[in-house]
Amino acid sequence: MTNTSTPNTFIHQFVGSWELKQWVVERSDGQTAFPFGEDAQGRIAYDAFGNMSVQIMQHNRPPFSSDDPLEGQPEEVLEAYQSFIAYCGSYEVIADSNQVVHHIEISSFPNWAGQEQRRYYAFTGDTLTLSTDFIGSRRHQLIWEKITY
């Protein structure tokens, strides 16, 4: 769902695939943390029609003992869930406040389905930084690098 009042130039800055370079959380006490480690992996993609998707995972996740994803053992499933997050839906750019709004339709975290997630954005060359306001006691910052082929 792109905002029709948003100039195309702002949307086109987002269009493409981006690779995660860093996900850092700042806590209200000033401490920082890396939710999936300093070597977390991820991709976010935006298309020109207003669709987006994102997947982030901890590096080197252990495989299940079974090759069937529906036959994971409870401890395997729990560990896999706690080391991966993904969602997709539509997006709109609100250029006058440097925000992108993700309208989530499908999510690995059930509570986000049907919600909006607002992110502040900044572009520096081929780098896109997305950040949140404080959510409870934490503020998230994700740094993405444009994938060029």
Side-chain angles (χ1 to χ4, degrees):
M1 169 193 317
T2 55
N3 183 344
T4 55
S5 66
T6 301
N8 285 339
T9 55
F10 292 108
I11 291 173
H12 287 293
Q13 287 182 287
F14 285 88
V15 172
S17 294
W18 303 79
E19 181 178 21
L20 182 67
K21 292 300 171 186
Q22 184 180 64
W23 175 15
V24 64
V25 172
E26 176 191 351
R27 297 180 182 160
S28 57
D29 63 5
Q31 298 283 330
T32 58
F34 300 90
F36 289 172
E38 292 185 50
D39 57 353
Q41 297 175 291
R43 295 275 174 103
I44 192 167
Y46 296 96
D47 74 16
F49 304 103
N51 301 297
M52 63 80 55
S53 65
V54 62
Q55 304 83 35
I56 303 174
M57 70 177 205
Q58 184 176 329
H59 185 68
N60 289 325
R61 297 163 71 218
F64 284 12
S65 56
S66 170
D67 287 335
D68 184 337
L70 300 178
E71 292 185 9
Q73 298 302 305
E75 63 278 359
E76 294 172 323
V77 172
L78 178 60
E79 188 170 345
Y81 176 79
Q82 291 176 332
S83 62
F84 182 83
I85 192 152
Y87 64 83
C88 66
S90 60
Y91 74 99
E92 67 180 298
V93 177
I94 305 173
D96 60 356
S97 62
N98 283 20
Q99 291 185 51
V100 59
V101 181
H102 297 163
H103 301 278
I104 301 172
E105 296 169 25
I106 298 169
S107 177
S108 62
F109 179 53
N111 298 25
W112 283 357
Q115 286 191 2
E116 292 182 351
Q117 295 284 322
R118 291 183 177 268
R119 305 285 184 259
Y120 294 98
Y121 68 84
F123 289 97
T124 306
D126 284 343
T127 301
L128 166 62
T129 301
L130 297 176
S131 58
T132 66
D133 282 326
F134 273 95
I135 301 168
S137 63
R138 295 182 233 169
R139 177 172 49 202
H140 298 258
Q141 182 182 68
L142 296 96
I143 300 171
W144 305 90
E145 185 175 83
K146 184 89 172 232
I147 298 171
T148 55
Y149 298 98

mmCIF file of all heavy atoms in Angstrom, residues 65-95:
data_model
loop_
_atom_site.group_PDB
_atom_site.id
_atom_site.type_symbol
_atom_site.label_atom_id
_atom_site.label_comp_id
_atom_site.label_asym_id
_atom_site.label_seq_id
_atom_site.Cartn_x
_atom_site.Cartn_y
_atom_site.Cartn_z
ATOM 1 N N SER A 65 17.309 -32.543 13.500
ATOM 2 C CA SER A 65 17.745 -33.934 13.320
ATOM 3 C C SER A 65 17.005 -34.598 12.159
ATOM 4 O O SER A 65 17.490 -35.565 11.591
ATOM 5 C CB SER A 65 17.557 -34.729 14.615
ATOM 6 O OG SER A 65 16.218 -34.652 15.056
ATOM 7 N N SER A 66 15.849 -34.092 11.787
ATOM 8 C CA SER A 66 15.065 -34.609 10.659
ATOM 9 C C SER A 66 15.155 -33.629 9.488
ATOM 10 O O SER A 66 15.250 -32.418 9.690
ATOM 11 C CB SER A 66 13.594 -34.765 11.069
ATOM 12 O OG SER A 66 12.784 -35.049 9.939
ATOM 13 N N ASP A 67 15.099 -34.143 8.278
ATOM 14 C CA ASP A 67 15.073 -33.285 7.093
ATOM 15 C C ASP A 67 13.667 -32.751 6.811
ATOM 16 O O ASP A 67 13.488 -31.942 5.911
ATOM 17 C CB ASP A 67 15.593 -34.050 5.866
ATOM 18 C CG ASP A 67 17.103 -34.239 5.922
ATOM 19 O OD1 ASP A 67 17.781 -33.435 6.590
ATOM 20 O OD2 ASP A 67 17.602 -35.194 5.293
ATOM 21 N N ASP A 68 12.688 -33.209 7.559
ATOM 22 C CA ASP A 68 11.307 -32.752 7.400
ATOM 23 C C ASP A 68 11.077 -31.590 8.372
ATOM 24 O O ASP A 68 11.138 -31.775 9.590
ATOM 25 C CB ASP A 68 10.336 -33.893 7.699
ATOM 26 C CG ASP A 68 8.884 -33.524 7.456
ATOM 27 O OD1 ASP A 68 8.543 -32.321 7.478
ATOM 28 O OD2 ASP A 68 8.079 -34.448 7.250
ATOM 29 N N PRO A 69 10.799 -30.377 7.860
ATOM 30 C CA PRO A 69 10.626 -29.231 8.758
ATOM 31 C C PRO A 69 9.443 -29.369 9.710
ATOM 32 O O PRO A 69 9.366 -28.667 10.717
ATOM 33 C CB PRO A 69 10.425 -28.037 7.813
ATOM 34 C CG PRO A 69 10.015 -28.631 6.520
ATOM 35 C CD PRO A 69 10.602 -30.013 6.457
ATOM 36 N N LEU A 70 8.526 -30.279 9.418
ATOM 37 C CA LEU A 70 7.374 -30.482 10.296
ATOM 38 C C LEU A 70 7.629 -31.518 11.379
ATOM 39 O O LEU A 70 6.747 -31.798 12.181
ATOM 40 C CB LEU A 70 6.147 -30.879 9.462
ATOM 41 C CG LEU A 70 5.718 -29.856 8.409
ATOM 42 C CD1 LEU A 70 4.528 -30.379 7.604
ATOM 43 C CD2 LEU A 70 5.388 -28.516 9.041
ATOM 44 N N GLU A 71 8.825 -32.088 11.411
ATOM 45 C CA GLU A 71 9.145 -33.116 12.408
ATOM 46 C C GLU A 71 10.265 -32.698 13.352
ATOM 47 O O GLU A 71 10.948 -33.549 13.913
ATOM 48 C CB GLU A 71 9.504 -34.428 11.706
ATOM 49 C CG GLU A 71 8.317 -35.057 11.010
ATOM 50 C CD GLU A 71 8.621 -36.423 10.421
ATOM 51 O OE1 GLU A 71 9.711 -36.978 10.681
ATOM 52 O OE2 GLU A 71 7.749 -36.932 9.700
ATOM 53 N N GLY A 72 10.448 -31.394 13.539
ATOM 54 C CA GLY A 72 11.452 -30.925 14.482
ATOM 55 C C GLY A 72 11.077 -31.292 15.904
ATOM 56 O O GLY A 72 9.897 -31.297 16.263
ATOM 57 N N GLN A 73 12.081 -31.580 16.707
ATOM 58 C CA GLN A 73 11.863 -31.847 18.124
ATOM 59 C C GLN A 73 11.536 -30.534 18.837
ATOM 60 O O GLN A 73 11.958 -29.457 18.390
ATOM 61 C CB GLN A 73 13.114 -32.493 18.737
ATOM 62 C CG GLN A 73 13.459 -33.842 18.123
ATOM 63 C CD GLN A 73 12.300 -34.825 18.277
ATOM 64 O OE1 GLN A 73 11.817 -35.065 19.368
ATOM 65 N NE2 GLN A 73 11.852 -35.377 17.153
ATOM 66 N N PRO A 74 10.779 -30.570 19.920
ATOM 67 C CA PRO A 74 10.366 -29.318 20.591
ATOM 68 C C PRO A 74 11.530 -28.361 20.878
ATOM 69 O O PRO A 74 11.408 -27.160 20.641
ATOM 70 C CB PRO A 74 9.703 -29.800 21.880
ATOM 71 C CG PRO A 74 9.167 -31.150 21.522
ATOM 72 C CD PRO A 74 10.185 -31.749 20.582
ATOM 73 N N GLU A 75 12.660 -28.876 21.364
ATOM 74 C CA GLU A 75 13.791 -27.999 21.664
ATOM 75 C C GLU A 75 14.405 -27.419 20.384
ATOM 76 O O GLU A 75 14.885 -26.286 20.370
ATOM 77 C CB GLU A 75 14.853 -28.706 22.518
ATOM 78 C CG GLU A 75 15.514 -29.908 21.871
ATOM 79 C CD GLU A 75 14.716 -31.214 21.977
ATOM 80 O OE1 GLU A 75 13.624 -31.244 22.570
ATOM 81 O OE2 GLU A 75 15.216 -32.227 21.448
ATOM 82 N N GLU A 76 14.371 -28.178 19.284
ATOM 83 C CA GLU A 76 14.870 -27.678 18.003
ATOM 84 C C GLU A 76 13.972 -26.559 17.475
ATOM 85 O O GLU A 76 14.450 -25.526 16.996
ATOM 86 C CB GLU A 76 14.920 -28.799 16.956
ATOM 87 C CG GLU A 76 15.918 -29.890 17.251
ATOM 88 C CD GLU A 76 15.790 -31.068 16.289
ATOM 89 O OE1 GLU A 76 14.645 -31.428 15.900
ATOM 90 O OE2 GLU A 76 16.839 -31.639 15.937
ATOM 91 N N VAL A 77 12.674 -26.776 17.575
ATOM 92 C CA VAL A 77 11.713 -25.787 17.097
ATOM 93 C C VAL A 77 11.831 -24.502 17.912
ATOM 94 O O VAL A 77 11.839 -23.400 17.355
ATOM 95 C CB VAL A 77 10.274 -26.350 17.146
ATOM 96 C CG1 VAL A 77 9.252 -25.272 16.834
ATOM 97 C CG2 VAL A 77 10.135 -27.536 16.203
ATOM 98 N N LEU A 78 11.955 -24.617 19.215
ATOM 99 C CA LEU A 78 12.087 -23.443 20.074
ATOM 100 C C LEU A 78 13.342 -22.657 19.715
ATOM 101 O O LEU A 78 13.287 -21.434 19.538
ATOM 102 C CB LEU A 78 12.125 -23.852 21.551
ATOM 103 C CG LEU A 78 12.303 -22.702 22.542
ATOM 104 C CD1 LEU A 78 11.160 -21.695 22.426
ATOM 105 C CD2 LEU A 78 12.416 -23.242 23.957
ATOM 106 N N GLU A 79 14.463 -23.342 19.569
ATOM 107 C CA GLU A 79 15.707 -22.662 19.226
ATOM 108 C C GLU A 79 15.613 -22.006 17.848
ATOM 109 O O GLU A 79 16.074 -20.886 17.638
ATOM 110 C CB GLU A 79 16.893 -23.623 19.269
ATOM 111 C CG GLU A 79 18.219 -22.922 19.112
ATOM 112 C CD GLU A 79 19.410 -23.818 19.386
ATOM 113 O OE1 GLU A 79 19.241 -24.907 19.966
ATOM 114 O OE2 GLU A 79 20.519 -23.415 19.003
ATOM 115 N N ALA A 80 14.993 -22.700 16.891
ATOM 116 C CA ALA A 80 14.835 -22.138 15.546
ATOM 117 C C ALA A 80 13.952 -20.889 15.586
ATOM 118 O O ALA A 80 14.255 -19.879 14.936
ATOM 119 C CB ALA A 80 14.255 -23.184 14.598
ATOM 120 N N TYR A 81 12.872 -20.938 16.344
ATOM 121 C CA TYR A 81 11.972 -19.790 16.456
ATOM 122 C C TYR A 81 12.694 -18.597 17.079
ATOM 123 O O TYR A 81 12.536 -17.458 16.644
ATOM 124 C CB TYR A 81 10.733 -20.143 17.281
ATOM 125 C CG TYR A 81 9.829 -18.951 17.502
ATOM 126 C CD1 TYR A 81 8.963 -18.526 16.507
ATOM 127 C CD2 TYR A 81 9.880 -18.223 18.683
ATOM 128 C CE1 TYR A 81 8.158 -17.401 16.680
ATOM 129 C CE2 TYR A 81 9.091 -17.104 18.874
ATOM 130 C CZ TYR A 81 8.226 -16.696 17.875
ATOM 131 O OH TYR A 81 7.443 -15.577 18.050
ATOM 132 N N GLN A 82 13.489 -18.865 18.111
ATOM 133 C CA GLN A 82 14.151 -17.782 18.829
ATOM 134 C C GLN A 82 15.330 -17.180 18.066
ATOM 135 O O GLN A 82 15.891 -16.189 18.507
ATOM 136 C CB GLN A 82 14.624 -18.276 20.197
ATOM 137 C CG GLN A 82 13.474 -18.557 21.130
ATOM 138 C CD GLN A 82 13.915 -19.139 22.461
ATOM 139 O OE1 GLN A 82 14.939 -19.807 22.565
ATOM 140 N NE2 GLN A 82 13.126 -18.887 23.496
ATOM 141 N N SER A 83 15.685 -17.764 16.926
ATOM 142 C CA SER A 83 16.831 -17.261 16.175
ATOM 143 C C SER A 83 16.453 -16.819 14.759
ATOM 144 O O SER A 83 17.316 -16.688 13.887
ATOM 145 C CB SER A 83 17.922 -18.336 16.110
ATOM 146 O OG SER A 83 17.448 -19.488 15.432
ATOM 147 N N PHE A 84 15.167 -16.577 14.525
ATOM 148 C CA PHE A 84 14.712 -16.191 13.189
ATOM 149 C C PHE A 84 13.457 -15.338 13.309
ATOM 150 O O PHE A 84 12.593 -15.608 14.138
ATOM 151 C CB PHE A 84 14.386 -17.445 12.374
ATOM 152 C CG PHE A 84 13.941 -17.164 10.964
ATOM 153 C CD1 PHE A 84 14.876 -16.942 9.960
ATOM 154 C CD2 PHE A 84 12.604 -17.125 10.638
ATOM 155 C CE1 PHE A 84 14.473 -16.681 8.657
ATOM 156 C CE2 PHE A 84 12.185 -16.864 9.340
ATOM 157 C CZ PHE A 84 13.123 -16.641 8.346
ATOM 158 N N ILE A 85 13.381 -14.314 12.471
ATOM 159 C CA ILE A 85 12.155 -13.522 12.392
ATOM 160 C C ILE A 85 11.942 -13.113 10.943
ATOM 161 O O ILE A 85 12.906 -12.844 10.213
ATOM 162 C CB ILE A 85 12.180 -12.295 13.327
ATOM 163 C CG1 ILE A 85 10.793 -11.678 13.420
ATOM 164 C CG2 ILE A 85 13.238 -11.289 12.919
ATOM 165 C CD1 ILE A 85 10.501 -10.958 14.695
ATOM 166 N N ALA A 86 10.694 -13.112 10.521
ATOM 167 C CA ALA A 86 10.363 -12.735 9.149
ATOM 168 C C ALA A 86 8.961 -12.158 9.111
ATOM 169 O O ALA A 86 8.105 -12.531 9.907
ATOM 170 C CB ALA A 86 10.440 -13.958 8.236
ATOM 171 N N TYR A 87 8.768 -11.231 8.189
ATOM 172 C CA TYR A 87 7.419 -10.753 7.911
ATOM 173 C C TYR A 87 7.376 -10.163 6.506
ATOM 174 O O TYR A 87 8.415 -9.871 5.904
ATOM 175 C CB TYR A 87 6.912 -9.768 8.958
ATOM 176 C CG TYR A 87 7.630 -8.445 9.089
ATOM 177 C CD1 TYR A 87 7.345 -7.373 8.241
ATOM 178 C CD2 TYR A 87 8.548 -8.233 10.113
ATOM 179 C CE1 TYR A 87 7.971 -6.143 8.388
ATOM 180 C CE2 TYR A 87 9.182 -7.018 10.270
ATOM 181 C CZ TYR A 87 8.885 -5.973 9.408
ATOM 182 O OH TYR A 87 9.509 -4.765 9.565
ATOM 183 N N CYS A 88 6.159 -10.013 6.002
ATOM 184 C CA CYS A 88 5.980 -9.389 4.696
ATOM 185 C C CYS A 88 4.642 -8.667 4.675
ATOM 186 O O CYS A 88 3.786 -8.884 5.523
ATOM 187 C CB CYS A 88 6.070 -10.422 3.575
ATOM 188 S SG CYS A 88 4.741 -11.637 3.581
ATOM 189 N N GLY A 89 4.501 -7.820 3.685
ATOM 190 C CA GLY A 89 3.278 -7.057 3.520
ATOM 191 C C GLY A 89 3.518 -5.936 2.545
ATOM 192 O O GLY A 89 4.250 -6.085 1.564
ATOM 193 N N SER A 90 2.940 -4.784 2.822
ATOM 194 C CA SER A 90 3.106 -3.621 1.969
ATOM 195 C C SER A 90 3.825 -2.535 2.762
ATOM 196 O O SER A 90 4.021 -2.666 3.971
ATOM 197 C CB SER A 90 1.749 -3.137 1.472
ATOM 198 O OG SER A 90 0.925 -2.779 2.559
ATOM 199 N N TYR A 91 4.208 -1.489 2.043
ATOM 200 C CA TYR A 91 4.879 -0.391 2.730
ATOM 201 C C TYR A 91 4.488 0.933 2.099
ATOM 202 O O TYR A 91 4.019 0.997 0.975
ATOM 203 C CB TYR A 91 6.405 -0.562 2.691
ATOM 204 C CG TYR A 91 7.047 -0.280 1.347
ATOM 205 C CD1 TYR A 91 7.661 0.940 1.086
ATOM 206 C CD2 TYR A 91 7.047 -1.236 0.340
ATOM 207 C CE1 TYR A 91 8.253 1.199 -0.138
ATOM 208 C CE2 TYR A 91 7.639 -0.995 -0.884
ATOM 209 C CZ TYR A 91 8.245 0.234 -1.122
ATOM 210 O OH TYR A 91 8.833 0.479 -2.341
ATOM 211 N N GLU A 92 4.679 1.974 2.883
ATOM 212 C CA GLU A 92 4.491 3.330 2.378
ATOM 213 C C GLU A 92 5.588 4.205 2.963
ATOM 214 O O GLU A 92 6.041 3.987 4.091
ATOM 215 C CB GLU A 92 3.110 3.889 2.708
ATOM 216 C CG GLU A 92 2.851 4.129 4.168
ATOM 217 C CD GLU A 92 1.462 4.677 4.448
ATOM 218 O OE1 GLU A 92 1.158 5.795 3.959
ATOM 219 O OE2 GLU A 92 0.700 4.005 5.139
ATOM 220 N N VAL A 93 6.012 5.162 2.180
ATOM 221 C CA VAL A 93 7.056 6.095 2.591
ATOM 222 C C VAL A 93 6.401 7.412 2.967
ATOM 223 O O VAL A 93 5.600 7.957 2.214
ATOM 224 C CB VAL A 93 8.074 6.310 1.446
ATOM 225 C CG1 VAL A 93 9.119 7.349 1.845
ATOM 226 C CG2 VAL A 93 8.735 4.992 1.062
ATOM 227 N N ILE A 94 6.728 7.914 4.133
ATOM 228 C CA ILE A 94 6.249 9.221 4.585
ATOM 229 C C ILE A 94 7.483 10.123 4.604
ATOM 230 O O ILE A 94 8.196 10.209 5.610
ATOM 231 C CB ILE A 94 5.557 9.129 5.960
ATOM 232 C CG1 ILE A 94 4.432 8.090 5.904
ATOM 233 C CG2 ILE A 94 5.037 10.501 6.383
ATOM 234 C CD1 ILE A 94 3.796 7.788 7.226
ATOM 235 N N ALA A 95 7.737 10.726 3.474
ATOM 236 C CA ALA A 95 8.993 11.443 3.251
ATOM 237 C C ALA A 95 9.188 12.638 4.173
ATOM 238 O O ALA A 95 10.314 12.905 4.605
ATOM 239 C CB ALA A 95 9.078 11.886 1.794
#
